[in-house]
Structure formats: structure tokens, C-alpha cells
Amino acid sequence: MSKKHILLVDDEIDFLALMAMRLQLRGYEVSIAHNGEEALIKAMEKPELILLDVMMPLMNGYETCSKLRQDNETKNIPIIMLTAKNISSKDKVEGLQMGADDYIIKPFEIEELFARIEALLRRSGLSEEMNECKASLIEEFKSIVRKESVEITFQPIFYLNPRNLFAYEVLTHGPKHSQLENPEKLFQCALDCGMFLELETMYRKKALKKIDGLTDKKLFFFNTSPYIIESEKFKEIISLYDKPEQIGLEITERAEIKNFPLYCQTLNSIRSLGFKIALDDVGNGYSSLDSVAEIELNYVKIDNTLVRDIAASPKKQNLVKTILQFCRQSKIISIGEGIETEDELHTLIDLGVEAGQPLNLRKNERSPFYDFSISRRKSRDLRRRSMW
């Protein structure tokens, strides 16, 4: 069996010599690069894995990683970032967004490094067919970004009592019938090839153009990952919005918050500019209500796992009551997500939930919002027949 080839990139001569020796003793073939520019050249030798230092002169590890991911010859090579002990969470986030596969913090136990290397090599040891499939997916993703061919849709949000359409959630997905139509797959592919921020920027620009063309000026919610908020690029994304009073930023609870003080400070500062802040997926994520008490929220969105079949579940009702108590005390508007049936709708109203979002009006004619939505587009007669 041929030796696995590892490219080791670092500007510290002593560290390079020591690590190269240890890797060779472990049975790896090792190439060395002293900086990012040299790494881009050596990577053309197609190593099975790259160990890449973050802090280097001229071209740092993040920029090097991004360039490797954008080159067809090197885009699929696994990369482990080697970081200083005091590296911040936002630096780790930036590295992952640029396409890094893993991190290890200096100083580290050599056996831990070997374990991470071997795990990545196992995962990357795909069949040729799977590699070709992944390459095809990345090429399709790059084409979508280049042509700006993502689809933008608006999911309506209603006040429940009185019943009134007041906002939309901005949703994005890949072109219909493409491999990347599913939004989770689309954004995961963006992470895999180091173009997460490019996708985020592109879809927001496209959505804002669409919003500018609407005569119905409602509030528009954009999903915003904590990864983005902790990134140095967040200011650029915020600058895209020239009417902050019309924009809500939904911060999902499904993603773990790495640097909570920075997270709170950033959100509170942009809220002062006129943006509305909503916490998404409450009841099914990492953060508790206690942990978000320091954020000046405008809206809390109750996760659809709590809403589903809530009429028949006293336990879910009690959980929602706890969330509503927090909202009332903090003067936060509550929104129930993914409402599908009349029983769910009326239970939420009885509990005191102030607003609701249907599961999917286009695909789900069972939704209690469906007739109401159709009636707004068709005729007064149909409006009279709806439950609204």
C-alpha cells in the first residue's frame, strides 16, 4: 500500500521540522510549504490531506484555504487548520466558512492529531463515483452562484387576533429540479467549497431587489446564522439593507452560539439601527430562554415541533405557556411556526400566541390560512366563505 501524502504548511521552521519527522515516523509521506503562496503550488502535487497554519505572513491560512477550495485541482483535498491556543470563535467560524474540514489547537497531543488525520482520510476515501458526484455538485453550486439562479419565496406571517397579514419570512432554495433545490443542501455545499458568504450575500441582494418591487410594504424576516454574526463579514451583509425598519433578522436556535457576549453586543447594536430581531426555533435548539435574556428581542418564533398536534398535548401546551410568560414579561411578540390545522391554530390563540406562520400555503391546502390567503387574491365572495 502506498504511503498517504500530507502537505504541511507553517512558517515556523522548528515546528515544521518536528512535525514532518513525527508524520514520517507514523508512515506518511510529507511535503513542506513555508507560506500560503508556496502551499498553493505544492497542493498541485495532489496530497491526500493538508495541515494548514492559520497565522502566516503575506497570505494567511484563511485566504489560502479559500483559494484551495476555489481551484478545481485542489478543491476536494481535506484541510485541517492549525491554530494558536488563544484563537477566537469568530476565527474558527471564518475558517469553516472558507472550507476547512477540521481544527486543532496548538499545542496539541500528537495522538489527537493523528486521530483527526485518520478520520478525515477515512471520510475522504470515497469511491471514484462518489467523488465525481461531489465534484458535479460543487460545479452546479458555482454555476448557481455565478448565474444568481437561486429561487426566492416569501412565507406569510399573520397576526392571529385580529387576523391580519403583517410580515413574510424570506426563503431561498436552489433552482427547481436541480441537485441543490433543497436549501439545507445548498448552504451545506456552500460551506464545503468555502463560498458560504458569497451565497449569503447573493441571495440577500436578490431578495431585496424583489422586495423593492413590491407595493405591499410589510416586514421581511431573513434567516441569519450565528456563524454569520460572528464573522468579520457581518458588517458588509448588514450594509446591504438600506431600509432597516422593514427588515427582521431571524437568529436560529439550532446553531450553537460560540461567543455569546459578542453575539449579544452585535445584535443589540444593529437593533438600535432599526432592525427587528427574532429568535427562531424556540423549543428545539441549543439556547434556553434564560440564555437569550440579554438580547433585546422583538419576536420569538415557537418551533413547529411544539406547534404540531399541540391541541392533543398538555405537555406541549405547558411548554408554550412558559415561553409566552417570558414573552409577555419582556414585551416580545410570539409567533407560532408551521401551523397546519385548525385545531393547532385555535389552541395557539387560546394560549395567547399573538401571531402565526403556516406550514406551506402553496403545497398544503389543509392549512387554516389557505383560504384566507386565496381570498386576498381572488374575490370578496371567497373571502366570506373562508374561516377568517
Side-chain angles (χ1 to χ4, degrees):
M1 182 182 294
S2 61
K3 293 182 178 181
K4 295 292 184 181
H5 178 193
I6 292 178
L7 173 60
L8 177 60
V9 188
D10 202 297
D11 61 324
E12 296 181 21
I13 302 299
D14 291 342
F15 177 80
L16 277 174
L18 178 62
M19 282 304 305
M21 179 186 70
R22 289 183 169 183
L23 288 166
Q24 288 166 350
L25 288 172
R26 190 74 171 199
Y28 295 108
E29 178 186 345
V30 181
S31 296
I32 288 175
H34 299 86
N35 54 57
E37 291 182 351
E38 189 178 347
L40 297 179
I41 297 170
K42 291 287 186 72
M44 293 301 169
E45 299 172 5
K46 303 289 184 64
E48 274 84 7
L49 184 139
I50 298 174
L51 295 175
L52 178 61
D53 187 37
V54 171
M55 302 303 295
M56 296 185 294
L58 301 178
M59 183 188 298
N60 66 31
Y62 303 130
E63 187 178 355
T64 306
C65 183
S66 180
K67 288 182 180 296
L68 289 167
R69 284 292 177 251
Q70 293 179 46
D71 191 310
N72 285 335
E73 296 297 317
T74 59
K75 63 188 178 183
N76 293 323
I77 301 174
I79 298 173
I80 298 178
M81 302 292 275
L82 307 176
T83 76
K85 187 174 183 179
N86 62 348
I87 191 167
S88 68
S89 293
K90 72 177 182 180
D91 289 331
K92 291 182 183 180
V93 167
E94 185 173 356
L96 292 170
Q97 289 170 347
M98 294 300 176
D101 295 283
D102 198 1
Y103 264 92
I104 190 164
I105 299 173
K106 298 177 182 178
F108 48 76
E109 294 290 337
I110 191 65
E111 288 302 323
E112 180 185 355
L113 176 63
F114 289 148
R116 289 175 183 269
I117 290 172
E118 288 158 13
L120 263 182
L121 289 175
R122 283 197 301 273
R123 291 201 296 269
S124 64
L126 305 172
S127 67
E128 286 299 318
E129 183 179 352
M130 290 180 71
N131 278 329
E132 288 176 9
C133 180
K134 184 176 180 180
S136 170
L137 204 64
I138 290 174
E139 285 306 309
E140 182 172 0
F141 170 79
K142 289 183 176 179
S143 174
I144 288 171
V145 173
R146 186 172 60 252
K147 297 176 182 178
E148 299 186 357
S149 56
V150 293
E151 301 287 337
I152 304 295
T153 56
F154 299 135
Q155 187 79 342
I157 304 172
F158 301 86
Y159 282 124
L160 299 182
N161 190 19
R163 299 176 181 103
N164 180 39
L165 176 65
F166 79 98
Y168 296 94
E169 180 177 350
V170 179
L171 304 176
T172 185
H173 55 84
K176 288 184 178 179
H177 310 302
S178 73
Q179 297 181 84
L180 297 171
E181 181 176 1
N182 180 287
E184 290 186 9
K185 197 171 183 180
L186 178 70
F187 280 90
Q188 183 58 52
C189 192
L191 281 170
D192 290 343
C193 58
M195 295 180 67
F196 187 79
L197 291 170
E198 287 88 339
L199 177 61
E200 282 280 340
T201 302
M202 182 267 287
Y203 103 78
R204 289 169 195 268
K205 284 182 177 179
K206 188 166 184 177
L208 288 169
K209 283 183 183 179
K210 195 170 182 179
I211 290 169
D212 286 341
L214 299 176
T215 57
D216 192 10
K217 300 300 181 183
K218 304 292 186 183
L219 181 64
F220 292 86
F221 288 101
F222 285 78
N223 286 290
T224 307
S225 167
Y227 300 140
I228 293 295
I229 294 170
E230 293 181 328
S231 167
E232 292 182 351
K233 303 291 185 181
F234 187 54
K235 289 182 180 179
E236 294 178 24
I237 289 176
I238 286 299
S239 68
L240 298 174
Y241 302 104
D242 58 359
K243 298 175 183 176
E245 69 283 351
Q246 197 181 351
I247 302 300
L249 299 180
E250 284 192 20
I251 315 302
T252 180
E253 262 204 332
R254 292 183 189 276
E256 186 177 7
I257 300 163
K258 299 292 186 182
N259 188 337
F260 191 70
L262 174 64
Y263 173 83
C264 293
Q265 179 185 347
T266 304
L267 288 181
N268 289 334
S269 65
I270 63 173
R271 187 179 185 272
S272 68
L273 300 175
F275 291 93
K276 303 295 187 292
I277 306 297
L279 183 64
D280 196 14
D281 304 318
V282 172
N284 190 17
Y286 287 96
S287 302
S288 66
L289 288 173
D290 288 340
S291 71
V292 300
E294 295 178 45
I295 305 170
E296 297 180 30
L297 295 169
N298 301 98
Y299 300 89
V300 157
K301 300 188 77 175
I302 301 167
D303 190 73
N304 57 24
T305 57
L306 283 182
V307 171
R308 187 67 56 245
D309 299 321
I310 189 172
S313 175
K315 184 180 292 186
K316 288 184 178 182
Q317 292 174 33
N318 287 332
L319 286 171
V320 170
K321 286 177 184 177
T322 300
I323 294 169
L324 293 178
Q325 183 180 7
F326 170 84
C327 290
R328 283 191 288 268
Q329 290 173 349
S330 306
K331 298 181 180 178
I332 297 170
I333 295 173
S334 56
I335 302 173
E337 293 186 288
I339 302 173
E340 187 175 17
T341 68
E342 290 192 27
D343 283 344
E344 291 168 356
L345 173 65
H346 291 307
T347 300
L348 292 179
I349 292 173
D350 291 342
L351 289 171
V353 176
E354 295 166 275
Q357 185 169 342
L359 183 65
N360 192 326
L361 287 181
R362 291 188 175 186
K363 296 182 180 178
N364 182 20
E365 298 187 15
R366 292 178 55 212
S367 170
F369 295 97
Y370 185 80
D371 287 344
F372 178 66
S373 177
I374 295 296
S375 70
R376 293 172 63 85
R377 300 196 299 270
K378 289 188 176 179
S379 69
R380 292 181 181 177
D381 290 339
L382 184 54
R383 185 182 292 111
R384 292 191 190 102
R385 293 200 299 274
S386 83
M387 64 175 286
W388 300 98

